[in-house]
Structure formats: C-alpha cells, structure tokens
Amino acid sequence: MEKEVTIGNKTLILRSSLYSLINYKNRFGSELFNDIKKLENTKEENITEVLEVIFRIVFVLSNPKENETFRGFLDGFDLSVLSDETTLNKLSNAIVELLKTDTKAGEKKEETFRE
C-alpha cells in the first residue's frame, strides 16, 4: 500500500512493507511497533519524543536510499511544518492507514495508532 503526503514543500510517497519493520530496526535499533506503543503513553510535554518517532516512521516509509541519513532527511524540512496542524494530521492518518494490522483473518482491521 502507498500514500502520497506533502510536508512543507516536499511530496513523499510512503510505502509500507515487511521490509519497513526490518529497515526501522536496522536504522534506529528499536522495534517500530514498540515505539508506536510508547507514543500512547507519552505525555504532551514530551512532544519531541512523539515527533521523533513520527518522523522516523515517515523516513522509513519513504524508502530512503541506503546512504541517506535521518538527520539529512530532517534537515530537508523547515521548522514551520510543526505548526501546520492540518499537515501533521494528514501525516498521522497516512501512517495509521499504512500500518494497520489484522488481528485474525476475516475480522475487522485494528488501528495501531489512536485516532
């Protein structure tokens, strides 16, 4: 599955695959879904942690080149994207859709993020 999102002046194609989980762990040393679970327990005053996880996910789902760094990816965005609530909501919704998981065959899909 893929979703197109625009963040600031950049348009990204986000794609989810099994490799996304492996790539996330290889690049950041933690499990993607464990980091998502941490978001549920993060307090509002720790917004930097939330943003870091969200942008890590965006980075991995944008299928970066092997030599592209997370820092280089973030340097491509202006700080003003953080004040654009509409863009951040669209980004969060795209991530939710891309990372939905099935509980059992035939059952309704379960969200991995709170909505």
Side-chain angles (χ1 to χ4, degrees):
M1 176 184 278
E2 67 181 45
K3 291 279 181 184
E4 183 176 292
V5 294
T6 301
I7 304 171
N9 61 352
K10 283 186 164 189
T11 299
L12 302 171
I13 304 296
L14 305 182
R15 292 180 186 90
S16 62
S17 69
L18 182 56
Y19 182 69
S20 302
L21 301 175
I22 295 165
N23 192 18
Y24 189 91
K25 176 141 185 167
N26 288 341
R27 288 185 182 259
F28 301 112
S30 59
E31 300 288 339
L32 184 136
F33 288 112
N34 287 343
D35 284 356
I36 290 171
K37 285 180 187 176
K38 287 180 196 173
L39 292 179
E40 295 174 357
N41 300 320
T42 302
K43 296 186 167 111
E44 259 183 59
E45 59 268 13
N46 297 330
I47 191 70
T48 304
E49 291 175 34
V50 171
L51 290 170
E52 181 178 0
V53 171
I54 289 172
F55 278 93
R56 281 180 172 190
I57 294 168
V58 170
F59 175 67
V60 168
L61 295 182
S62 69
N63 295 302
K65 295 177 180 149
E66 203 166 307
N67 63 347
E68 185 176 9
T69 65
F70 182 55
R71 179 181 177 165
F73 175 74
L74 290 180
D75 281 344
F77 297 103
D78 187 89
L79 198 57
S80 66
V81 300
L82 301 179
S83 62
D84 186 349
E85 190 174 330
T86 302
T87 296
L88 292 174
N89 282 332
K90 286 180 182 178
L91 183 58
S92 295
N93 289 335
I95 291 170
V96 167
E97 283 191 46
L98 288 168
L99 297 178
K100 284 183 181 180
T101 57
D102 287 326
T103 52
K104 291 181 185 172
E107 285 188 11
K108 188 175 181 180
K109 287 192 175 190
E110 185 178 283
E111 311 286 17
T112 54
F113 277 86
R114 290 179 290 163
E115 291 191 273

PDB file of all heavy atoms in Angstrom, residues 102-107:
ATOM      1  N   ASP A 102      -4.023  -6.821  10.814  1.00  0.00           N
ATOM      2  CA  ASP A 102      -5.167  -7.706  11.023  1.00  0.00           C
ATOM      3  C   ASP A 102      -4.979  -8.458  12.328  1.00  0.00           C
ATOM      4  O   ASP A 102      -3.885  -8.898  12.645  1.00  0.00           O
ATOM      5  CB  ASP A 102      -5.275  -8.749   9.898  1.00  0.00           C
ATOM      6  CG  ASP A 102      -5.763  -8.151   8.605  1.00  0.00           C
ATOM      7  OD1 ASP A 102      -6.582  -7.225   8.673  1.00  0.00           O
ATOM      8  OD2 ASP A 102      -5.333  -8.613   7.544  1.00  0.00           O
ATOM      9  N   THR A 103      -6.086  -8.636  13.080  1.00  0.00           N
ATOM     10  CA  THR A 103      -5.998  -9.443  14.284  1.00  0.00           C
ATOM     11  C   THR A 103      -6.150 -10.916  13.911  1.00  0.00           C
ATOM     12  O   THR A 103      -5.356 -11.741  14.281  1.00  0.00           O
ATOM     13  CB  THR A 103      -7.068  -9.038  15.308  1.00  0.00           C
ATOM     14  OG1 THR A 103      -8.344  -9.038  14.678  1.00  0.00           O
ATOM     15  CG2 THR A 103      -6.787  -7.661  15.870  1.00  0.00           C
ATOM     16  N   LYS A 104      -7.169 -11.246  13.165  1.00  0.00           N
ATOM     17  CA  LYS A 104      -7.392 -12.604  12.668  1.00  0.00           C
ATOM     18  C   LYS A 104      -8.026 -12.482  11.300  1.00  0.00           C
ATOM     19  O   LYS A 104      -8.721 -11.518  11.014  1.00  0.00           O
ATOM     20  CB  LYS A 104      -8.342 -13.380  13.586  1.00  0.00           C
ATOM     21  CG  LYS A 104      -7.772 -13.717  14.934  1.00  0.00           C
ATOM     22  CD  LYS A 104      -8.783 -14.491  15.730  1.00  0.00           C
ATOM     23  CE  LYS A 104      -8.266 -14.725  17.140  1.00  0.00           C
ATOM     24  NZ  LYS A 104      -9.267 -15.300  18.009  1.00  0.00           N
ATOM     25  N   ALA A 105      -7.814 -13.469  10.476  1.00  0.00           N
ATOM     26  CA  ALA A 105      -8.398 -13.446   9.139  1.00  0.00           C
ATOM     27  C   ALA A 105      -9.913 -13.311   9.244  1.00  0.00           C
ATOM     28  O   ALA A 105     -10.550 -13.992  10.035  1.00  0.00           O
ATOM     29  CB  ALA A 105      -8.035 -14.717   8.383  1.00  0.00           C
ATOM     30  N   GLY A 106     -10.473 -12.407   8.497  1.00  0.00           N
ATOM     31  CA  GLY A 106     -11.918 -12.237   8.471  1.00  0.00           C
ATOM     32  C   GLY A 106     -12.451 -11.228   9.469  1.00  0.00           C
ATOM     33  O   GLY A 106     -13.582 -10.809   9.373  1.00  0.00           O
ATOM     34  N   GLU A 107     -11.638 -10.844  10.459  1.00  0.00           N
ATOM     35  CA  GLU A 107     -12.097  -9.850  11.424  1.00  0.00           C
ATOM     36  C   GLU A 107     -11.791  -8.449  10.921  1.00  0.00           C
ATOM     37  O   GLU A 107     -10.974  -8.260  10.041  1.00  0.00           O
ATOM     38  CB  GLU A 107     -11.390 -10.050  12.778  1.00  0.00           C
ATOM     39  CG  GLU A 107     -11.918 -11.234  13.546  1.00  0.00           C
ATOM     40  CD  GLU A 107     -11.326 -11.280  14.946  1.00  0.00           C
ATOM     41  OE1 GLU A 107     -10.690 -10.295  15.380  1.00  0.00           O
ATOM     42  OE2 GLU A 107     -11.505 -12.295  15.604  1.00  0.00           O
TER      43      GLU A 107
END
